[in-house]
Amino acid sequence: MSKVITFGELMLRLAPENYLRFVQSEKYEATFGGAEANVAVSLANYGVDTAFVTKLPEHEIGQAAVNSLRKFGVDTSLITRGGDRVGIYYCEKGASQRPSKVIYDRAYSAIALANEEDFEWDKIFKGATWFHFTGITPALSDSMANITLKAVKAAKEKGITVSCDLNFRKKLWSKEKANSVMGELCKYVDYCIANEEDAKDVFGIEADNTDINTGKLDRNGYISVAKKLTDRFNFKGVAITLRESISANDNNWSAMLYTNGQAVFSKKYAMHIVDRVGGGDSFGAGLIYSLINNYDSQKAIEFAVAASCLKHSIEGDYNMVSVKEVETLAGGNASGRVQR
């Protein structure tokens, strides 16, 4: 049986209600989220044995963060407790031509100040078959970059499959720093996940004949990007999400999976977005679920894209859907008709 470990920061999310702007709102909805935690919740909802690893304070807000994972069946027993701060991010949802906006207040959080002694990788990886992290985790601090490197080395020594979503965040580090740190980490990665911008921002690898701002995407350009990434890091697979932004509310959504020198593309979904945050994480979780269940490439990319499409219809970071719901959409039932 597969056991997945995800590693990163779990944050408090504060968001104005509906589509109010920060300067309009007099109250904020409080939930929790974070890239790798979002992946853990999705996988737990699919019935996968999943543990999330982080460091959180022992106070009540830290406990509330832990509880937000427990109710979905995520194993929280490996979370280190200590430090003073839970990282915070503020999320203002965009509408029409006004983009969504995120403001971070995560400096000096418990995990950003963590040290190597906080994580016993031999214990964490006992019985594990898959390890997932994103480029956000090593961007939190130099110590977290070193801890993440130690983690991926330990995983590879134990024969654990490693996946990474590049997830470049310009508010956390520079392209130059990302290139240096991720270039070392990706030596230990089996499956790389990226979007239209990540490969360019982190490694300077850009798709030809593509403009992300106008939504113009060229399939051959992304095959070239995946091949270049694979050639450099010897990845077993590269998955690239393809987002065509019509407005903040309406996107076309599809993806590509490149393995063994061959690329397959999913069907395309025209999405009306309820909440975009966590969309990429739900894609990553869908891909991991597919691969640990030995789906062929086409079935795997269809499941991952359908899972992510459904997430865009759900408020908050976490994707709260079942395998059956994903399979129904991936199988072609996209009508949205009432189920009774």
Side-chain angles (χ1 to χ4, degrees):
M1 184 176 179
S2 298
K3 180 179 181 180
V4 179
I5 306 293
T6 74
F7 176 54
E9 182 169 26
L10 180 58
M11 293 180 291
L12 174 65
R13 167 176 163 164
L14 297 176
E17 292 181 308
N18 300 314
Y19 291 94
L20 292 178
R21 304 216 68 185
F22 289 134
V23 294
Q24 285 180 289
S25 186
E26 296 182 355
K27 57 183 178 179
Y28 287 72
E29 296 176 327
T31 55
F32 292 93
E36 298 87 354
N38 300 343
V39 171
V41 169
S42 281
L43 289 170
N45 283 333
Y46 299 153
V48 178
D49 183 4
T50 309
F52 176 64
V53 177
T54 192
K55 184 174 182 179
L56 286 166
E58 294 186 77
H59 56 51
E60 288 85 351
I61 305 303
Q63 189 60 47
V66 172
N67 292 347
S68 77
L69 299 174
R70 282 181 174 170
K71 68 180 180 180
F72 294 106
V74 175
D75 179 357
T76 60
S77 65
L78 299 173
I79 292 177
T80 298
R81 304 303 293 269
D84 299 316
R85 286 206 67 204
V86 175
I88 300 171
Y89 85 94
Y90 300 86
C91 181
E92 176 187 283
K93 289 200 295 185
S96 190
Q97 278 67 46
R98 174 172 60 84
S100 296
K101 182 176 291 186
V102 168
I103 297 174
Y104 290 132
D105 180 17
R106 62 200 299 180
Y108 309 110
S109 66
I111 190 170
L113 298 180
N115 55 56
E116 292 187 7
E117 290 69 34
D118 286 322
F119 304 102
E120 299 178 33
W121 295 108
D122 283 343
K123 176 183 176 182
I124 290 168
F125 286 141
K126 186 176 181 180
T129 57
W130 196 290
F131 176 59
H132 178 76
F133 72 101
T134 79
I136 297 172
T137 301
L140 296 175
S141 63
D142 287 342
S143 64
M144 282 307 300
N146 292 331
I147 290 168
T148 306
L149 181 59
K150 187 172 183 179
V152 293
K153 286 182 176 180
K156 293 311 293 182
E157 288 175 0
K158 297 177 182 298
I160 296 169
T161 300
V162 178
S163 60
C164 172
D165 189 331
L166 292 182
N167 262 357
F168 177 72
R169 295 292 184 267
K170 64 183 179 182
K171 293 184 178 181
L172 295 181
W173 59 358
S174 68
K175 294 178 182 179
E176 292 75 20
K177 184 68 175 289
N179 184 303
S180 174
V181 173
M182 296 305 295
E184 184 64 25
L185 289 170
C186 282
K187 294 177 183 177
Y188 303 92
V189 169
D190 297 292
Y191 291 94
C192 177
I193 301 166
N195 65 20
E196 310 95 292
E197 301 170 84
D198 289 334
K200 177 183 177 182
D201 289 336
V202 178
F203 296 123
I205 298 174
E206 185 175 4
D208 296 329
N209 301 317
T210 290
D211 186 334
I212 60 170
N213 294 314
T214 63
K216 177 187 176 185
L217 305 179
D218 182 83
R219 287 189 170 193
N220 290 328
Y222 287 105
I223 294 173
S224 175
V225 167
K227 184 178 186 304
K228 289 175 182 177
L229 286 169
T230 300
D231 289 345
R232 176 171 174 180
F233 295 108
N234 197 31
F235 293 136
K236 292 181 180 178
V238 175
I240 299 178
T241 55
L242 307 173
R243 185 186 297 273
E244 300 170 68
S245 293
I246 300 166
S247 70
N249 298 103
D250 295 285
N251 289 179
N252 292 328
W253 183 244
S254 60
M256 178 197 78
L257 178 60
Y258 182 89
T259 56
N260 299 316
Q262 299 293 321
V264 294
F265 289 82
S266 74
K267 63 171 66 73
K268 183 186 296 185
Y269 295 95
M271 303 185 303
H272 185 73
I273 297 171
V274 171
D275 194 332
R276 175 175 167 171
V277 177
D281 307 321
S282 58
F283 172 83
L287 185 67
I288 293 169
Y289 176 83
S290 299
L291 294 173
I292 63 178
N293 282 285
N294 299 312
Y295 288 6
D296 64 41
S297 293
Q298 190 66 55
K299 185 177 180 181
I301 200 65
E302 296 292 358
F303 186 93
V305 169
S308 184
C309 178
L310 289 171
K311 166 61 194 78
H312 284 78
S313 72
I314 297 170
E315 294 273 8
D317 275 52
Y318 298 155
N319 192 20
M320 293 171 274
V321 298
S322 66
V323 170
K324 184 177 180 180
E325 288 174 310
V326 178
E327 290 178 340
T328 297
L329 178 57
N333 186 350
S335 67
R337 291 176 64 86
V338 176
Q339 302 295 306
R340 20 169 160 242

